[in-house]
Amino acid sequence: MKKYMFFLVSMMMGILLSACMFTKKADPIVLPEANDIISISVSDENAAATCTDKEQIGEILSILMDMEPTSKLSVNDFPNVNDYIKIDFNCSDDTVNTLFFYKENKTEYVEEPYRGIYIPAPALNTIIGDLLNGAGS
C-alpha cells in the first residue's frame, strides 16, 4: 500500500511540475473586419505612410491573421524595444486599432498591446518597408 501511495504522490508531483512548465501562447489577435477599415497608417521615427488600397489592406490583414503566437507577454501600451513601427487600422466608426511591428534578436514580431506577441510572415516586413519607403519619395 505504501508503494502504491508513493507512486500516486510521485505521479501527481510530476503532473503539477509539468503543468507549471507549460507556457501559454498568446490569445488570437483581434483585428477589425476588412470592410470596416478605411486605411492603414504605418509610422516609425523617420517616416509615415497611409494605405487606402483595399487589395493591399486585405494582403496585410491576411498576413496578420496567419501569425504564429508566442509565449511572450505584452504588458504595456508600447513594446519594450527602442525601434518599432506603429501600425494603425483606421476604421469607419472612427476607432483606431494599433499594433506594433519590430525586430528583436533577429526575429520579427507583431505586438498587440496587452493581448499578445506574434511572429509574422516575412512578407509583412516587405509590405511595411515598401509603404514607408514610398512615403519618403
Side-chain angles (χ1 to χ4, degrees), residues 22-125:
F22 173 74
T23 54
K24 183 182 180 293
K25 296 279 187 175
D27 290 328
I29 194 162
V30 176
L31 297 170
E33 295 291 325
N35 53 352
D36 291 339
I37 299 172
I38 296 171
S39 65
I40 296 177
S41 301
V42 294
S43 60
D44 64 11
E45 59 188 30
N46 300 316
T50 300
C51 171
T52 56
D53 179 62
K54 290 294 185 184
E55 187 173 316
Q56 197 168 30
I57 289 171
E59 188 176 350
I60 292 169
L61 282 175
S62 176
I63 293 168
L64 293 173
M65 291 302 293
D66 196 35
M67 292 188 296
E68 177 186 336
T70 70
S71 57
K72 294 172 146 263
L73 298 176
S74 176
V75 295
N76 293 316
D77 292 334
F78 295 91
N80 288 324
V81 295
N82 291 329
D83 296 321
Y84 56 83
I85 296 171
K86 184 178 177 188
I87 305 169
D88 286 327
F89 293 89
N90 306 301
C91 299
S92 57
D93 63 357
D94 292 329
T95 60
V96 177
N97 294 48
T98 300
L99 302 176
F100 298 95
F101 176 71
Y102 57 91
K103 187 181 273 191
E104 183 178 53
N105 299 326
K106 299 183 182 180
T107 302
E108 294 173 341
Y109 295 102
V110 169
E111 183 167 340
E112 183 177 19
Y114 301 105
R115 185 146 183 97
I117 300 175
Y118 311 86
I119 298 175
L124 185 63
N125 187 29

Side-chain angles (χ1 to χ4, degrees), residues 1-15:
M1 183 71 170
K2 286 184 179 181
K3 287 182 181 179
Y4 180 71
M5 197 63 143
F6 177 75
F7 177 74
L8 280 176
V9 170
S10 297
M11 289 293 289
M12 293 297 282
M13 294 294 286
I15 291 170

